Amino acid sequence: MDVIVAIGSAAIRAAKEATTTIPIVMYGGFDPVAAGFVASLARPGGNVTGVVMGPGSSLTGKRLELLKEAVPRAARVAFLVPDDPSFQLEEAQQGAPSLGIKLVVVEVRAGDYVRAFSTISAERATALLVGATPISCATGSGSSILAAKHRLPAMYEWPEQVEEGGLMSYGATQSALVQRAAVYIDRIFKGAKPGDLPVEQPTKFELVINRKTAKALGLTLPPSLLSRADRVIE
């Protein structure tokens, strides 16, 4: 094995515990320094490097702000977080009060979206913020289908989830992260040491809105919001 590609903090931690010599290219949404995967973003050291959406990006707060703009009546917003919410939870909790939002934190355990949405329903949430993790894109249909069933306007990170029927997303694209991860793999194959390759953070983010979903939910989206969208799905 020449290189390990690890998606999400749990997979990275398992790979790092398994080897200190095989290069590991990571990507996901977490703080790799706080998690102990790298010494620093500029000089990772060890055998791990890659692309992350780490703290300081304020993407979670921005997603919450955009969701409130789309659904002004949303006073109780469920925050569907992965097993390892990392800094995302802190950003959401900091941003909620100024928006007049009561944040209801609901953890997804082992991909059990049915149980999570039962909790969301019991908490009488009127909108949904889905925590960012690459794994949630692969299982996105679980959250997007149940959000539609419960008639919850939902904000995601990945545009793929909006294509599946989610209301809106704001963040980098999976394809962009995969392409950057491929660059790391190529450089490692050419002799670069992972510990010498700075960890990247995406700088380009897209706002994608599913207008068809908005209509199904009875939402009239503000023209100012639609005009800022990079892509509107009709």
Side-chain angles (χ1 to χ4, degrees):
M1 188 179 298
D2 298 311
V3 177
I4 297 172
V5 177
I7 305 172
S9 57
I12 297 160
R13 185 171 291 107
K16 195 172 187 299
E17 290 174 353
T19 179
T20 57
T21 57
I22 298 174
I24 299 169
V25 175
M26 63 179 173
Y27 75 84
F30 50 84
D31 183 343
V33 178
F37 301 146
V38 298
S40 71
L41 298 183
R43 295 192 62 82
N47 63 325
V48 180
T49 189
V51 187
V52 299
M53 292 152 290
S57 63
S58 299
L59 290 185
T60 306
K62 183 64 175 179
R63 290 188 191 104
L64 196 59
E65 180 183 320
L66 289 166
L67 180 60
K68 180 68 173 182
E69 188 174 350
V71 194
R73 61 178 172 77
R76 291 179 66 83
V77 175
F79 184 27
L80 196 61
V81 300
D83 291 338
D84 182 11
S86 187
F87 63 92
Q88 298 174 47
L89 179 56
E90 182 179 347
E91 286 187 1
Q93 290 173 328
Q94 289 176 347
S98 63
L99 295 170
I101 288 174
K102 167 65 176 178
L103 202 66
V104 178
V105 180
V106 180
E107 293 188 9
V108 179
R109 295 294 185 183
D112 191 350
Y113 284 97
V114 173
R115 177 175 294 181
F117 272 84
S118 293
T119 301
I120 291 170
S121 180
E123 292 285 352
R124 295 175 296 167
T126 52
L128 173 65
L129 176 66
V130 179
T133 167
I135 303 303
S136 71
C137 183
T139 57
S141 57
S143 59
S144 59
I145 289 174
L146 286 167
K149 179 180 178 181
H150 288 266
R151 296 189 57 77
L152 280 172
M155 162 64 84
Y156 298 90
E157 173 177 20
W158 309 112
E160 291 87 347
Q161 293 167 305
V162 181
E163 292 166 1
E164 291 177 342
L167 176 63
M168 57 200 302
S169 67
Y170 180 71
T173 65
Q174 280 278 355
S175 60
L177 293 183
V178 171
Q179 288 170 6
R180 294 310 303 166
V183 171
Y184 278 92
I185 295 170
D186 180 62
R187 293 180 68 182
I188 290 170
F189 280 164
K190 290 177 178 176
K193 295 181 179 179
D196 296 332
L197 298 176
V199 175
E200 271 189 26
Q201 296 193 76
T203 57
K204 182 180 179 181
F205 309 111
E206 294 183 356
L207 172 61
V208 180
I209 297 174
N210 191 320
R211 202 168 187 177
K212 182 179 179 180
T213 298
K215 290 178 180 177
L217 292 170
L219 293 175
T220 301
L221 299 176
S224 59
L225 179 62
L226 290 168
S227 66
R228 300 201 309 275
D230 296 280
R231 182 157 56 104
V232 176
I233 300 172
E234 300 288 353

